[in-house]
Amino acid sequence: MPRKHHHPHFSKPAGTTHRSLTTSPHASSSAAANTSGASVNDLLSNLRRTRISSPDDRAQRHYEVANAPTVHPSLKGILNVADTPPPRPRPGMRLAPGARRGPAGPPPPSSWLNTSRHAPAHLREHPRTHDQQRSRPDRLDRLPGLDIPDEHSLLDICLSRLARNWAFHVEFDQHYLATLPGNIKSVLLAYIATHGPATGLDINGLKVLFRDADEVEGANSSDDITHLDLAGAAGTSLSLKQLDKFFSNPRSNPVAPTAHPVHPTTDMRSPQGAKSVQPQLQQEQEQEQHKKQQQQQLPHSDDDFGESWEALADALTSLSTPIPSTARFPCLTHLSLSHPSPSASWSRLLDVTPHLVTLTHLSLAYWPPPYLTPNSKTATTSSRYSGSISFSGSDYYAEYEGDWSEAAGVLWRFSRATYCLKWLDLEGCGQWANALEWQGAGGYAAWEPSGADWTGGWRGVETVVVSQGPLPSPPTRHPLAEGSVRRKSICGDKADAGEDDRFKWDEERRAAHAVKAKKLWLNRIRQTQDVCESIHRKRRNAGLPRIFFDFKNDPLDGV
């Protein structure tokens, strides 16, 4: 048999106590006598007085009670065993009946909750509104044709109050906002853009305002909506992706539009007009099927003609019958997306353009340069076949080098998709005005886009607003200079001698910044004038009418 090995629990054997250190028999016998003479109550009171239980002991006692062996419920009554108490809940874990237990681990930082899109409304803080307010238009009548009520009239006061308390009305009057007339809804959007909350109009408020009759009883249809003023909301409280889904959501009750916009490129006298792209409507397949069914009814030979011309006229008239539209705004002609966030995406805007083929008036004031990947301008990539190249379509120094190839291509695609435009607002877009008519380093090339298609998609444009807006304001005072001004106003002549130096340095800095900003502002106006003159020459060679470029209150005369 194998030999059994004994494994001691301790590496060092326990030592024995010397007998001289132990208590004497007389002392032990006297202590035992005193202990035996005391009663049980005395012993318990002595233990309570001499031994104070620590938190660790209490926790250990609760642990022992919770983990004690239990008895079957059918035997507890026979054996007179009390029910086992449940374990005490941990502090901070009080749960209401039916509530779910939160995730394990420590709570997340408050900064995560404030900036999360899933946080409650009273905790959510938009990252842009925390540092700076959203841009607002300076007036209500930015879109032409919008019926703005007179100032201080009853309608003006009601709409301004409604816009200032928009979040309250969306929550408590959501079943009544959809019953407003169509023209009042369009004006209300302009008031929200100008006098609305700091966060702007969100997708929830837009859906509440334009509900269908199937959702809310008595709701007015959006078939007669022609103006949508979404200024200050694009890219901040209302993303272009949400706007794309909102426009592309088909309606349950399709209606026949009153009239189709005339394609401005149907004139075959221009080669660009013959090559213009067809509209990419959402119901393109339905239109093709509808046309095929109608063409089968037309006569294909002389024998197929009827005895009267009325039969042929009725067959030809059926081809021009408008097809029922399922678009949410079938008659939308005026749209404002001005004053967006600095991070507004042109790629998202190109995704929205298939739903904007009926637009005749569009405002893109103060939009950033038209780049598809502006956040990748500093990123580079490399391969074994080439060296390091820019990951984006334009590198970081593209604007300084005058390379507008990517921006010109984006504008060319955008102009071909919005071919019904007659009025375009590009106020404050002088930074990328050269991309509107870019000739490249070596002139035009067959494969190289030359900016917007002014003789094709935008051949029907009549007015373009190219004002640079107000002159940039000087920067704020430096904190040190601001403190110097306050101390000097309080102490007077007793202030420190260095206070004057700090104030003088800050004033010189602000004056130099103002001069530099004004010089850049005037330079952009001159560049815009050169671009407008180049567009005039291009349209003159194509036999198209002259465009009116509106410079508004800019110091230089318009062209």
Side-chain angles (χ1 to χ4, degrees):
M1 294 179 61
R3 185 177 181 180
K4 296 182 179 179
H5 298 277
H6 177 69
H7 299 280
H9 295 284
F10 303 97
S11 59
K12 183 178 180 180
T16 58
T17 307
H18 195 266
R19 61 181 181 178
S20 61
L21 299 177
T22 58
T23 57
S24 61
H26 178 72
S28 60
S29 60
S30 61
N34 294 333
T35 305
S36 60
S39 62
V40 177
N41 294 334
D42 295 339
L43 292 176
L44 292 177
S45 61
N46 186 26
L47 287 175
R48 295 191 187 98
R49 183 175 61 255
T50 58
R51 181 182 179 185
I52 301 176
S53 61
S54 62
D56 297 337
D57 296 339
R58 289 196 299 268
Q60 180 66 20
R61 186 165 59 254
H62 286 301
Y63 175 79
E64 293 175 356
V65 171
N67 292 273
T70 59
V71 182
H72 195 271
S74 61
L75 300 177
K76 286 184 178 180
I78 300 175
L79 301 177
N80 295 327
V81 177
D83 294 338
T84 303
R88 298 179 59 185
R90 290 181 296 173
M93 294 296 293
R94 305 285 181 177
L95 298 177
R100 296 178 59 185
R101 184 179 296 274
S110 58
S111 59
W112 291 11
L113 298 178
N114 296 340
T115 57
S116 175
R117 62 178 180 177
H118 303 291
H122 65 280
L123 293 178
R124 183 171 61 250
E125 295 179 1
H126 204 275
R128 299 182 182 87
T129 59
H130 182 73
D131 300 332
Q132 59 182 0
Q133 298 292 333
R134 68 178 179 94
S135 301
R136 297 173 182 263
D138 54 353
R139 63 183 189 277
L140 294 170
D141 55 346
R142 291 191 63 91
L143 280 178
L146 193 61
D147 189 10
I148 302 297
D150 298 335
E151 191 176 1
H152 303 299
S153 62
L154 179 60
L155 185 58
D156 175 69
I157 296 174
C158 293
L159 291 178
S160 61
R161 292 290 183 180
L162 187 62
R164 288 186 175 91
N165 302 309
W166 177 245
F168 173 83
H169 291 288
V170 168
E171 183 68 24
F172 295 98
D173 296 334
Q174 54 180 312
H175 301 291
Y176 307 100
L177 291 175
T179 60
L180 293 175
N183 57 338
I184 300 298
K185 291 181 181 179
S186 300
V187 178
L188 177 60
L189 289 177
Y191 274 85
I192 294 174
T194 307
H195 307 292
T199 54
L201 179 70
D202 56 356
I203 189 63
N204 184 30
L206 200 61
K207 290 180 179 179
V208 168
L209 188 60
F210 293 102
R211 285 181 175 177
D212 295 336
D214 299 338
E215 301 175 349
V216 177
E217 184 179 359
N220 286 325
S221 176
S222 58
D223 301 336
D224 57 344
I225 298 294
T226 58
H227 292 69
L228 282 182
D229 193 348
L230 305 179
T236 53
S237 58
L238 180 63
S239 64
L240 293 176
K241 183 178 181 180
Q242 295 174 343
L243 193 62
D244 181 22
K245 293 182 178 180
F246 181 70
F247 281 155
S248 61
N249 185 18
R251 299 179 307 168
S252 57
N253 298 324
V255 296
T258 55
H260 286 288
V262 180
H263 199 296
T265 60
T266 53
D267 189 1
M268 295 295 107
R269 294 178 297 178
S270 174
Q272 290 84 358
K275 299 179 182 179
S276 60
V277 295
Q278 297 297 328
Q280 299 178 357
L281 299 176
Q282 190 177 15
Q283 60 273 22
E284 184 177 357
Q285 297 180 355
E286 299 178 3
Q287 291 181 359
E288 294 295 336
Q289 185 178 2
H290 184 71
K291 289 180 180 180
K292 290 180 180 180
Q293 294 177 359
Q294 292 179 345
Q295 288 177 359
Q296 292 176 0
Q297 303 176 2
L298 290 178
H300 299 283
S301 62
D302 296 340
D303 298 336
D304 296 336
F305 284 99
E307 298 179 357
S308 62
W309 290 97
E310 286 77 3
L312 180 60
D314 295 340
L316 294 176
T317 306
S318 63
L319 290 177
S320 60
T321 303
I323 302 174
S325 174
T326 59
R328 186 176 291 272
F329 302 104
C331 299
L332 181 63
T333 56
H334 296 65
L335 177 64
S336 175
L337 298 175
S338 63
H339 300 81
S341 168
S343 60
S345 174
W346 277 86
S347 60
R348 292 294 184 185
L349 182 61
L350 292 176
D351 296 339
V352 181
T353 49
H355 313 293
L356 308 179
V357 292
T358 58
L359 286 184
T360 58
H361 295 69
L362 178 63
S363 177
L364 295 178
Y366 300 97
W367 264 72
Y371 296 129
L372 296 179
T373 54
N375 297 330
S376 303
K377 297 176 66 175
T378 58
T380 57
T381 182
S382 60
S383 64
R384 59 180 180 178
Y385 302 105
S386 62
S388 178
I389 58 176
S390 177
F391 182 79
S392 176
S394 301
D395 57 3
Y396 185 77
Y397 301 99
E399 297 182 14
Y400 302 99
E401 297 173 355
D403 183 12
W404 298 98
S405 57
E406 182 187 7
V410 173
L411 290 177
W412 186 84
R413 293 172 55 188
F414 183 72
S415 62
R416 305 281 282 192
T418 55
Y419 47 80
C420 292
L421 282 184
K422 295 183 179 180
W423 182 87
L424 182 62
D425 183 11
L426 297 178
E427 180 179 340
C429 300
Q431 178 183 358
W432 48 274
N434 291 329
L436 294 172
E437 181 63 15
W438 185 66
Q439 299 182 4
Y444 291 110
W447 52 271
E448 193 174 40
S450 59
D453 192 4
W454 295 101
T455 58
W458 282 357
R459 63 180 296 151
V461 175
E462 300 174 357
T463 304
V464 179
V465 180
V466 290
S467 174
Q468 297 305 311
L471 186 66
S473 58
T476 58
R477 295 183 184 274
H478 195 272
L480 294 177
E482 186 68 26
S484 301
V485 173
R486 292 178 181 177
R487 286 189 293 270
K488 190 173 182 180
S489 61
I490 296 174
C491 302
D493 297 337
K494 296 182 180 180
D496 188 6
E499 304 290 344
D500 295 336
D501 297 338
R502 297 194 189 101
F503 180 75
K504 183 178 180 181
W505 165 80
D506 185 67
E507 290 297 327
E508 292 177 354
R509 180 184 67 88
R510 298 181 64 199
H513 187 277
V515 171
K516 183 179 179 180
K518 185 175 181 180
K519 184 178 179 180
L520 179 62
W521 185 66
L522 294 175
N523 187 27
R524 287 180 177 177
I525 294 177
R526 296 189 184 96
Q527 291 179 359
T528 306
Q529 279 197 324
D530 297 338
V531 172
C532 294
E533 191 63 35
S534 177
I535 295 175
H536 282 323
R537 290 194 299 266
K538 186 175 182 179
R539 290 176 63 90
R540 191 185 307 116
N541 297 333
L544 298 176
R546 187 182 180 91
I547 296 179
F548 173 68
F549 291 96
D550 188 6
F551 284 83
K552 293 186 177 180
N553 298 326
D554 290 350
L556 301 181
D557 297 333
V559 294

